[in-house]
């Protein structure tokens, strides 16, 4: 955990007014581009939740990078929970709101084995709309949520409560701002 926090502190790029005025965007792409940073963050996310899991779900789009890395690292498969209109098969979907807009997430329920224990992985927990919608979709598809693991939690935006309203599973952040 220490090396992940150090990599995040040293390499995260802070961009003001992105993607819209007033939003302070914390860009972790430099952390992921660094081999040590990627490994440290992947390891930290992989052990963030103590509950066992047998499948990882990555949230569109930066959560795909992290989710796939965690899945390989832990010997699991990975699900893509995608923004509307991107998945080819039969989907279930859920509308959500977030810090700078609204959206809709979709999932292939046929890719979720009945009762699968799923670790939800994303880069940032902000208002929690994205992660809460993802948990709701997974539960609707017959999965159980093992936990939600994110790189960064923006505490002032209160997302944790919103996710905890969608699932009883633990919500863990590598670093909180
Ligand atoms: C960002 C981030 C999280 C979400 C967090 O994704 O990657 O998924 O917002 O916000 P919330 O807690 O308020 O829902 P974004 O929708 O910008 O998509 P991207 O990864 O494709 O840039």
């Amino acid at each position: 955990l220490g090396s992940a926090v150090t990599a995040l502190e040293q390499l995260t790029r802070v961009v003001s007014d992105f993607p819209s005025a007033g939003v302070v965007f914390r860009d972790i792409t430099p952390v992921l581009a660094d081999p040590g940073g990627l490994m440290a963050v992947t390891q930290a996310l992989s052990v963030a939740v103590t509950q066992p899991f047998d499948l990882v779900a990555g949230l569109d789009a930066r959560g795909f990078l992290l989710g796939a890395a965690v899945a390989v690292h832990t010997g699991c498969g990975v699900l893509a929970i995608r923004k509307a209109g991107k998945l080819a098969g039969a989907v279930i979907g859920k509308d959500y709101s977030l810090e700078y807009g609204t959206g809709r997430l979709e999932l292939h329920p046929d890719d979720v084995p009945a009762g699968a224990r799923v670790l939800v992985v994303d880069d940032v927990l902000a208002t929690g709309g994205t992660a809460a919608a993802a948990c709701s979709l997974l539960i609707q598809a017959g999965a159980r949520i093992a936990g939600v693991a994110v790189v960064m939690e923006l505490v002032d935006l209160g997302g944790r409560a919103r996710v905890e309203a969608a699932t009883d599973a633990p919500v863990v952040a590598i670093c909180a701002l």
Side-chain angles (χ1 to χ4, degrees), residues 25 59-63 83 96-100 122-131 162:
F25 189 88
L59 309 189
D60 200 342
R62 274 156 284 151
K83 292 182 178 159
Y96 65 102
S97 62
L98 72 177
E99 187 182 4
Y100 40 81
D122 205 359
D123 60 336
V124 173
L125 177 64
T127 68
T130 306
R162 207 158 154 198

Side-chain angles (χ1 to χ4, degrees), residues 2-4 17 21 23 40 45-46 48-49 62 67 79-80 83 101 108 111 117 122 154 164 175:
S3 55
D17 298 320
V23 177
L45 289 171
S46 298
V49 165
R62 274 156 284 151
L79 293 172
K83 292 182 178 159
H108 276 152
D111 293 345
R117 300 166 299 180
D122 205 359
L154 308 181
E164 287 173 347
C175 73

